[in-house]
Structure formats: structure tokens, C-alpha cells
Amino acid sequence: MQMVPSLPPASECAGEEKRVGTRTVFVGNHPVSETEAYIAQRFCDNRIVSSKYTLWNFLPKNLFEQFRRIANFYFLIIFLVQVTVDTPTSPVTSGLPLFFVITVTAIKQGYEDWLRHRADNEVNKSTVYIIENAKRVRKESEKIKVGDVVEVQADETFPCDLILLSSCTTDGTCYVTTASLDGESNCKTHYAVRDTVALCTAESIDTLRAAIECEQPQPDLYKFVGRINIYSNSLEAVARSLGPENLLLKGATLKNTKKIYGVAVYTGMETKMALNYQGKSQKRSAVEKSINAFLIVYLFILLTKAAVCTTLKYVWQSTPYNDEPWYNQKTQKERETLKVLKMFTDFLSFMVLFNFIIPVSMYVTVEMQKFLGSFFISWDKDFYDEEINEGALVNTSDLNEELGQLCLMVKLYSVDYVFTDKTGTLTENSMEFIECCIDGHKYKGVTQEVDGLSQTDGPLTYFDKADKNREELFLRALCLCHTVEIKTNDAVDGATESAELTYISSSPDEIALVKGAKKYGFTFLGNRNGHMRVENQRKEIEEYELLHTLNFDAVRRRMSVIVKTQEGDILLFCKGADSAVFPRVQNHEIELTKVHVERNAMDGYRTLCVAFKEIAPDDYERINRQLIEAKMALQDREEKMEKVFDDIETNMNLIGATAVEDKLQDQAAETIEALHAAGLKVWVLTGDKMETAKSTCYACRLFQTNTELLELTTKTIEESERKEDRLHELLIEYRKKLLHEFPKSTRSLKKAWTEHQEYGLIIDGSTLSLILNSSQDSSSNNYKSIFLQICMKCTAVLCCRMAPLQKAQIVRMVKNLKGSPITLSIGDGANDVSMILESHVGIGIKGKEGRQAARNSDYSVPKFKHLKKLLLAHGHLYYVRIAHLVQYFFYKNLCFILPQFLYQFFCGFSQQPLYDAAYLTMYNICFTSLPILAYSLLEQHINVDTLTSDPRLYMKISGNAMLQLSPFLYWTFLAAFEGTVFFFGTYFLFQTASLEENGKVYGNWTFGTIVFTVLVFTVTLKLALDTRFWTWINHFVIWGSLAFYVFFSFFWGGIIWPFLKQQRMYFVFAQMLSSVSTWLAIILLIFISLFPEILLIVLKNVRRRSARSNLSCRRASDSLSARPSVRPLLLRTFSDESNVL
Amino acid sequence: MIRRPSAEECPTSSAPRRRRLRWWRWRRRRRRRSSGSCQGQQADPFGGPPARRGAAPRGPMAMNYNAKDEVDGGPPCAPGGTAKTRRPDNTAFKQQRLPAWQPILTAGTVLPIFFIIGLIFIPIGIGIFVTSNNIREIEIDYTGTEPSSPCNKCLSPDVTPCICTINFTLEKSFEGNVFMYYGLSNFYQNHRRYVKSRDDSQLNGDSSALLNPSKECEPYRRNEDKPIAPCGAIANSMFNDTLELFLIGNDSYPMPIALKKKGIAWWTDKNVKFRNPPGGDNNLEERFKGTTKPVNWLKPVYMLDSDQDNNGFINEDFIVWMRTAALPTFRKLYRLIERKSDLHPTLPAGRYYLNITYNYPVHYFDGRKRMILSTISWMGGKNPFLGIAYIAVGSISFLLGVVLLLILFKGRKSTAELGKLLGRPSSSASIVNHM
């Protein structure tokens, strides 16, 4: 026995680098034999630690993590500068908001961590029973060590990853539901190794001497390879293979089984659940990139301002009477400071003075907007699906990663490419058995259903009858070759026969097939003791011993079973895709069936071919050995298995084919049309046959009747001898065609879609790999670029026969295109996960193929049709909201700081703040934050319904339109204009002797307050002008903010504040308002500032009016030539066939 | 394969949705009333008066929505159907269907604003302009940097006290109350070092701050170990020229003009913000015991005025000075010349002379000193800016209104037919009110 001792994990439990090699686990921690010394290995204990902090390290660790964010760090630096250097504003002005933000975040994270602690404790302290020295010992869950034998009762969750030893049933199976892991609520059967099945008591299990070798922990829930060596008294070890079907995962629940014994193999943080717990990589949105770009611009402005002021200050001070006039002398200390140092601190002081240009509150507001805004998606009742009783889910907001995750929210807007899976996404994935063909004879069951199960020998409405034996063989094959299980409501045996049978399977096709077989009189009755029971047409029960199941996988695209009949014959039944089966059967049989298969595929049905083979007993011995060997392998098990399977599944006899219909999802076509109209390019990536996929694409109007199809498939290429040459030729030809069609019109590409001939591209997996991995290294890039050029010019692309990884490959390829388009992937199955993770926005459909896609996605919705509203309405609105929010924030802070900058020219560049410290602090926190937050949550510049019904509106915001340079410049110039107006308006106002009728004069604080009042009102009213959706909340916050400003100003100036050093603002505001001139000036300045905005609205209106008239024209003509919305699928498919190149 | 035409494809306007919401609420109430039996549900949902109300013009549409409601509402009588559902709440807020006012700013709604602004702003501007022009103001520079100036002799620090006299003539008489200001130029009262160099606690009569002034007052905090009261650069540099005004009558006998010292500071400053230190009865000197005068002052703070109500920290000249000016060129109120009777102008036209006790040096920093006499209107002193700005903005706005109106009329002719064709409420009706 080869011992590969794994390194004892150090302090870190689940280190990535430790996951190589294998680990050896001694069952019950008993040494397996006296000869071999028992080496106690150190594994992780079974404590789950999902919490990030402890009581002691919370403060430092949390602070460290928070200040790792650039924005926070920037504010910390500003704060520290304020504390150390003599700066114009008190440290409170920036310290308080920063403290607030940090505290709130810390409290939030602390609370979440406390919740995690509590959850951890609940798990860790829960009681489990461990068999120690033949006794059942009660322990806390966290005390479980690797190698402990654990007893789990029914309806309990497994405390760690266990290898099932025995389940106190005769066959050593147990039922498990993994709802909490992957959302699949059906019961799954897990098996014990045959040799340990009998060990049903604590005493007997304690006698077991065995060692388990298995791979190091890895996060894939559905993968496990291991081997158990059982030492009976003879010292001769019996080795058995272990697979995922032997492994009970932590977090899953035991069902329908009294109790089980299992040995812990992975504990604590090394369990598959814990390994899966880790968050996903951060996806960053274009909005955030824009924010960062703007940030850099504003940082640059800030630095420039500070530098200009510092320079001018020293120029100004070069005249001695300016530097130190008699009335304003420096202190001794100031005189003695080094000039360089002074310049540096002056620079910092100016930075601090102007630092409000990048406010803390922007980050807070942006995050709040994203967090709160995401709720609207999960709240939307249009996303609610009656069937699964669930609505949409925003996965990303669950993760407490702060910015990056939530940014996804806004990414919805700017999607350029939509990649969609076909099965389960475009289609229902609710399969219905339509017809079958046996030996080329078509069977279409029509009458059977009416008569129900009892129908036995009655004549079926066959179009033509195949040989009775062949027919039965075919139906038996359908009944046997699958992994369907029967759901039993209670564990009592025999209940299966009476009640109606409910089939459970991970693949809906199989259920459809089994149900189809039932229609023809062959009923699958379930599995008992490794025997499959089938009721035949004569109501006799046939039993087949299930010898091997050669599982389905996406690469082989077929599955097989090897069964032994009651007579002792060994049969292999295989079903799979035609391309996978045809090469493996005798040639002469193919032709008849092929016709059927092709026609069925054209009709949009999913076809499977069924084949069988008789295995001679001698052959079986060999096969059996090979299979067991392969299953036993610890390394490269998959490859070995595949090879063996490949060998076995040869020289089969084709019996027939089935056709299963996968219904198109509700409104799939409308959704695709809407996405097209919205300027999105929709690519369908599917694993299905080309014909099936193509007809589905026609059905859901991805291709239209007038779409010219360009095909790059094995069919078009195979004809020539040299595939690559032919491919090259085709590529060049297509490109020529497309370039001719769009003569250098890249700028009006979107327009071109509606006006020119449309092209669709079909490519299949093998051709794609030919293009991507072309052997000619020199030309491979060339191929790729030509291919991409073609792709970009096509309205729709259909990629069929795609392996999951190829899907991701395509997404990556498009992602890296010039201009880095935003990609969205939508899919429902496990095969879409890679694509969902790869793309910018991943959307999962809570379909029938389990919850893997939904779990890995950023959003999940119940149906494909929901994508329309998600993108067109939610995405659009979120984008407009967040874009406006960002622009507005920069805008309002530029007009806030600009007067302060201008004031430096009039106060000898002395860093004198224009506004009082309270105003500086409160401006972003209280006076102007709520209206924009309300706006950014509630604004609907266009109605949700209009947005959904007119996809063209989506194009308006495509390409990050609202955060491009020109809108940014517009906002910046507007802010600069307004800031200038505020300052110089007040400046000219102050040229007079007095503003009051009693001749009294105002000071600098009144000056600042007038500017500030105009500022607050203008900025708020500007938002009011932009608001197109005035709910009571908007009214409340907008008018409330202004009222609060006035109230606060009165209050702040109404009291001599004992804690303030200077009573600068005492009665300044009230005094200011007692002057008529000030009122007039404030009103005038507000109006002047808003004037350009109002003017722009009118001008835009004039333009929009003409644009709209154009649009209405086009719409009118559209409706005239509108396609009939309901068209028989067949008609379309066949008539369109002629368009194919 | 038959595809249902979806309801979502219908063009929807907001009106039926509102109705739908209301109808939904109503239906719920009704269902509760008829709880226990399924008949409530069977009742014709379209027959109810609330559904009819106001639904007439879009009958089919309303029906469409009601029918959809029926589906949305779920099976009300299904046993336990509503017990555990994850259906999102159908509240207006969560469905983003809060009732809202949706102003559509079209040219039609915005254009009138231009005219209204024009019509309001121009008269106001004219009013302000006329008022401002009626204000009499005279400014006399007495810095004395020009050799010809009578005050030139005072530039040297040796002559103390230096008194100079400047003659001037009022061409027109000053009616009503006249205000006398002094104006300084190039004097940075708003320099940061200067602005913060004060101790408001001390000025508010805090006795501890009196003897231990704030650090902000450096380097004017202490003088020879005695705390300075009032401390700081602002107080130290208080304007201390004395200005007197004489009318040269016909009989070459100059008549002094009565200058009122009180009433020039803000009421709140004088009565709340500035307070003398407590204690010591009326003896102000006693209260300021232990402090010393600011370096540049000639007299200590308790000798600023003989009037007890205007002495010490509550001296109004001092208070006015302590309110730092916003800009380097500023004016501060110095004295009031009150109108004596309605019959005589306060300052009749004629020749005057200004008697200056020249103490305050400004030529060191290239500054200027001026004396300003000004009458005041309801809007304060002479300020042509406000009036001109109002007139300009009003006119521009009016003109723009006219120009845009012309453009729109031109455009509307061509788009009129299309507008009809479109027939959408949003393009014609300017405001869709949801409330």
C-alpha cells in the first residue's frame, strides 16, 4: 500500500497549495495494522469559522481593511494633515464625516460578523454523536476530528464531509437532500461501500479497520475521488473505490433514513461547503471606472488649485507689506519656520481647504444608492414566477464586499452583448416526449394517454410497425438507460407500486423518455437492491440487475447502462446525441434513422439515439475489470474512465431515436426582439445540435426570415479536403460580403441594423476550436480577427455544439474586443456557470436543472422573459440614476469649492475659508445629500412601462453615454459657471457701503453665508429641475432640505455656542435676511445660475420634438410591415431553409 | 405552437395603472368582507362601480388590466395558498409605482417662465436702479500720499498728534439720515491669520479668558506678561482716526455737524456677543484689572468712551471694527448724522470741511483711507450692480423668450401633422398628473 502522507496543515487550514496529493484517513483513528505504525496526522478541526474578526482584532483589522480603500485612505490623509498642520478648517470638518462613515461601516460589519459568529457557534456547538471505543459519545460538533466515525440521525445535517459506511438498511443506501448547498431539493441516493454495509451498530463499526485515501479538499461539490482499504482479519486489504456517491457533504440533510455511520474525511474549513463559501471575484463596473476617472480629473483640479494658490501666495507675499503688514504680524514661530517647509504646509493647507471637492459623502451615497437600489429588483413583482414561487434575486448584494460587488447593479445598463443558453433559458426545459422512431418506423403516440396505464396489448396507432422484438427492446432501453429515480413518500417498501409514480432526475429529458416509454406500456418501477424493475406491456415485472452505469457527460454526450437480464444475458444500452452514437453503430443501420433524426431536429425537437449491444460473458469480465480499475484510480480517474467507456461503447446496434420537445419559453421571442431593438447583440450558445438550435433561433426570432445566414460548421467545411483552407476561404468570403454591405459604416452600425440586410452567423464547436486553435500559428491570429470581424457585423450569432468551456471562451473573446464591450450571460444549467462567471454580468435562471447557475450568477430571475424588464427598465433606470448621481456630486462640490478658491484671490491667499466650518461640514452630509439620494432611488425619467415597451430607448444610454467626456464637461462647466456667478455676484453686491436700510455693514461671514445660501438653493433647485418623477418623497426631501438649511442656519446663529472658540456665525444669517438687497441678490443669483439649465431644456425640447416626429414616422411604417406574430414554427423553418447559404 | 400576444406589448399609459392600483385595493377590502365563501370572487369583477369610475374612455384597456389583476391576485380561496409565499409585496413603493407628479418640461411650459421672469425682473431692476441713483454719496480720500494733500504732513510718524483738514463741497443737499463711513483699501481684514486672531470668550466677558486669552491671539496675546484685553491682531489694529465734520456757513463761522456714535453696530453684537467683564460696579477700570492695553492703542479699552454704555468691549466703534470685512477694500460705519427736522436737509448743499486726527497709518501697506457720506434707501447704500443686473437678466430672458417662441412656431408648423399622427398625450399635454 502506497502511503502518501499529506503534510499536516499549518495554522492556515485550507491553503490552496495544500490541495495536491492525497490524504489518508484512518477510520475511527484506529491503526490499520500492528505492522504499520499509526501516524497521527494533523488535520483541521471541525470548527467552521466564517467570521472575519474576533473581539480582540476587530478594531485594528477592521480599520486596516477600511483604510485600504483608496477613498477612505485619502480622507484619512486629509484628516491627518488637518490635525498636524495649521489648516484653515478644523479637523472636525473632515474628521467627523470620516468618523461617521468608518463607524457606520464598522458597526455594519461588526454586526454581520456577530451574526456569523452566532451562526458559527450554533453549528460548532451543536451536538453530534461519535463512536469511540464502541460507545456512542456525545460531543460538540467542533470536536470532530478527521477519522472519527460519526452517527447522524434522520433529518439532521451532516456536521462535516463524511464517507458513508453504513446506513442500517440492507443495501447501504441513504437519501440526502442538498437544498442548502445547491438548492436542489430532490432526494439523492448515496451508497455505502459494500464491505461496510453490515456494520450497523456502534460495536461492530468500531471493529472496522480501514484507511481511506482521498484527494485533498477541493471545492467542487460534485467531484470526489478516493479509495478505501479495508483490512479484515486476514490483513489482506480490500480496496474499494469511492466517488461522490459515497460522500455526504456537510450542510446536506439526511432524509428517509433512520441513521447512518460515516467517517469524517474533511472537517471544518476544509469541507466542500466551507471551500465554496468564499466569495466571488470582484467585478467592476464601467460606472466605477468613470467615477475613478472623474476622481482623477478632480484630484488634478484640486492639486492644480492648491499649487496655483501656493505659487500666487508667494508671489503676492514677495512685497513685504503684503507678507507681514503692521496690523497683522506673524508669531515668532512662524517667522522662524523654514520657507520650504512653510510652502509645503501651505500647499497642504490649500489642499485641505479645497478637499471638499471630493467628498466622503459621495462614496457613502453611491454605496447606499446601490445597496438600496438593488432591492427594487428583488421586489419587482413582475419577476415573480408562480410555478417556482420565487422572484428575482440579487446575489451580489448579499456579499459584503463593499463597492465592487454592488457596482454590478449599474452594469446592467450598458450591456452590448447578450449570451444566452438555449435549453432552459430560451426554452422551458419542460420536456415532452413527442415521438420515436424504431428501426426507421415512426411512432407517434396519440391515443395511449387517453386510455391510461391499463392499456396493454391494444393496437397503437403506429404509422408503420417495426418488428415486435425490436420495439420491445427499444422500450426496454428507454426504461433502463437513465438515472431516473422514483420519489417515495415514505421509506416503506412496496408503496411504490400502488401510488402514482413520481420520477426524479437531474435531467428532464430522461423523465420525458421514461414517461414516453410508459405511454407505450413499459413502466419503470424503480430500483431495488441494484435491480431495475420494469413493468412490460403484459403487466409482467421484469427485473434487470444494474451492473454499471456509464454516466452522461458533456464531452461524450451519451450515457450507457450495462444490465443483466433475468436470463443472464448481459446487455448494454446506450443513448446519446446522434453525433455521438452514429459513429459507434454499424453503418447500414444509420440511414433510416438519420432521416428521422434530422427532420425532428429541424422541427426543433431534441433527439436522442438509442443503441444496444449484447456483451458476451467473457467480454463482460474484461469490461468489468477495466471499469473497476478505472473507478479505483486516484489520479486521472476521469480520463481513464472516459477511455474505458470509449472502448465499451463501440460496435453497437442502433435501435431507434426519440424526439423530445422542449417548449419555447413564454415570450422568449418578444424578449429577443426587444433586445435586438435595444441595440444588443444576442448570441445563442448551446450544446444542442445545429438544426435544433437553428429552428429554435427562428422560433424565437433571433433569425428572421430575411436574415441571411452564414454558416461555419463542420457541414460546410467537411466537403473539402483541407479543412483549414476551406475555412479560410469561407471566412474571407463572408467578410467580403459583410464589408460590401456595410461600407465603412462603423459609426452608424446600430442604425445599419434596421436598414440593411441582416446577417446571422452559425458556428459550431469544432469549427470554433479550429479557428481558435488553428495549427497554422501565423495565420491563427488572422483567422481569429477575420472571425471577429464577421461576428461583429452580424446581428445574431448562433454557436451550437458548445462545450461549457467553449462558451466561456467565446465570452472572453468578445470581452476582449476593442472597446471592451460589456457582456451579459444568461443561462440556467451547470454548463452555463463558466460563461456566467466569465461575463461582466451573469444572470442565472432558476430553472429545472438545479440551482447551480442561479447560485453563481449576479442576478437570478425565474424566466428568460424577465431579462427584458431587467435590462430595459431596471438597467436603464439604474444607469440614469447612478450616472446622474455621480455627475451631480462632482458638480455640486465644484460649485461649492470654486467660490472658496476665488476668494483666495481676495484674501491674500491666506487659506481663509469662505464658509463657516459648520457649513463646510454639513453641506454634503445634510443639506444636499438626501435629495440626490431620493432622486437616485426613485427617478424615472421615463416610465417603466414606456421603457419596457420601447427598447430603442435603451440605445440612448448605451456605451456609458451619460458618463462620457462631454456630459462630464458640461456638468463641470455648469459648475464652474455657477461657482463664478455665486462668488462674483456677491462680490459686486458687497461693493456698496451697506446693504441694510440702517446703514450697518456686513463682514466676511455674511459674504460667505450669502454665497452658501445661493449655492444650496441653486444646487437643490437644479436637482429639482432634473427630477421628472416627483413622488411625495422627492417633495419631502427637496423642500425639506431647503427648510432644514434655513432652520439650521437660524439655529446655528441663534446661540452663543459655549464649545466654539469663535462665534463667527452669531446672528449672521438672521441679519442677512433682514436686508432686502440680499433677498433680491439671492433670488437673482439663483436664477442666473439656473438660466443655462432652463435654456438647455428648451433647446433640447426643440431637438427632441423633431427627433420624436422622425421616430413616430418610422414606427408608423414599422407597424404597417409588422410581421404576423404567430406563425407556425414548421412553416418558418422550412421556408427559411432556402435562405441558408 | 401558439404564442399569446402579451399584454405588455400594448402601449400603456399611466392612467389605467392608477386605476388598477385603486381597484386592487378595493377588491381586497371587499374580499375580506365576504371571507369564508368563494362567492365574492365569483362576482363579476367588472361590474363594480369603482372599476367603472372614470374608466369610460379606455374601457377595453381597463378590462384588460382588471383581468390581469385577477391573475395577479392569486387564487383567493385556495386553501393555504397565501400562507407561505415569497411573492414580492405589491406596494406602490416596492413596485416603483408611487404616485408621482411627472412634469414634462416642454418648450410650452418653460417659455412662459422666460416672459414672466422678464416681466418681473425688468420693473424690479428699474426700481432698484432709480432708487440707487437717488442715493447721495460723497467719498473723500484723505490718505495724504500726494504731496498736495493737507494730510501729507501726517505721513511721518513724528508728528503726534497730527490734525489735518480737508475741504469739500456738497453740490446737492443730503436728505434723510446720513451715514458716515470710513473706508480702507488694501487692508486685508480677511487674511486668515488676522481673522482668527481674536478671542470671542474674552469679548463676551468671560473672566478667565480675560486674564488668559486664547492662543489664537498670538502674537498679540500678552504684553510684558500681562494679558492684553482685547487680545489679537484685529483689536490691536483698530481704526483710531477721529473724524469731525464742519459746515462752512455763509458767515465764515464753521458749524460742527452732530455725529452720533451709538447705533452703528449690530444690535445682537452690542447686547449679546460683546460684554464687559463682570463685577466691579460701574468702575470699568477695576473690571479690566490685570490686563494691559493692546500695543498699538493709545488708551486702554476702558477709556474708549466716556459713556459707560459705549465703553470697554461694548464700544460700538470697537464692535464694528471687530466684524472683519469680506474684501480688502471695505467701508465701515463710523457715525450717524440724524435728520433733525423734515424742513431742513440733514446736510444742506454747501461747503464743508473734514477735521481728521490722523493716527492710522496705511501708506505702509499701500493702502488708502477715505471718508464716505451717504444717504440710505430701503435697499441700503448706492449699488448700481443690483439694478443693472436685474434689468439685464430680465431683458435677456424676455428676448430669449421671443427668439425661442419664433423658432418653435417655425418648427411646430412642420411637426403639427406628425403630432396629430402620433396622438400621444405626452407630446401634447405638458403635465401628466398622477396624484
Side-chain angles (χ1 to χ4, degrees), chain A residues 39-60:
Chain A
I39 310 152
Q41 293 183 44
R42 278 185 52 214
F43 296 109
C44 223
D45 61 4
N46 196 33
R47 233 179 38 203
I48 284 282
V49 186
S50 58
S51 55
K52 274 204 239 163
Y53 313 108
T54 64
L55 206 57
W56 309 113
N57 72 7
F58 176 73
L59 210 62

Side-chain angles (χ1 to χ4, degrees), chain A residues 1075-1093:
Chain A
S1075 152
V1076 182
S1077 297
T1078 316
W1079 278 85
L1080 287 172
I1082 289 175
I1083 292 169
L1084 177 77
L1085 293 181
I1086 292 175
F1087 180 76
I1088 295 178
S1089 309
L1090 293 177
F1091 197 81
E1093 187 65 21

Side-chain angles (χ1 to χ4, degrees), chain B residues 380-419:
Chain B
K382 201 180 186 75
N383 190 0
F385 160 73
L386 211 52
I388 291 172
Y390 260 95
I391 294 173
V393 171
S395 327
I396 290 174
S397 152
F398 196 84
L399 271 177
L400 268 175
V402 172
V403 170
L404 287 171
L405 196 68
L406 285 177
I407 294 175
L408 272 179
F409 257 117
K410 244 182 168 180
R412 189 163 289 178
K413 263 179 205 162
S414 57
T415 54
E417 298 149 309
L418 290 162

Side-chain angles (χ1 to χ4, degrees), chain A residues 130 179 245 254 546 669 828:
Chain A
I130 293 176
E245 70 277 359
L254 185 66
L546 182 61
D828 72 322

Side-chain angles (χ1 to χ4, degrees), chain A residues 499-513:
Chain A
E500 206 170 304
L501 301 171
T502 324
Y503 297 115
I504 303 165
S505 168
S506 54
S507 144
D509 295 62
E510 296 196 325
I511 295 178
L513 290 179

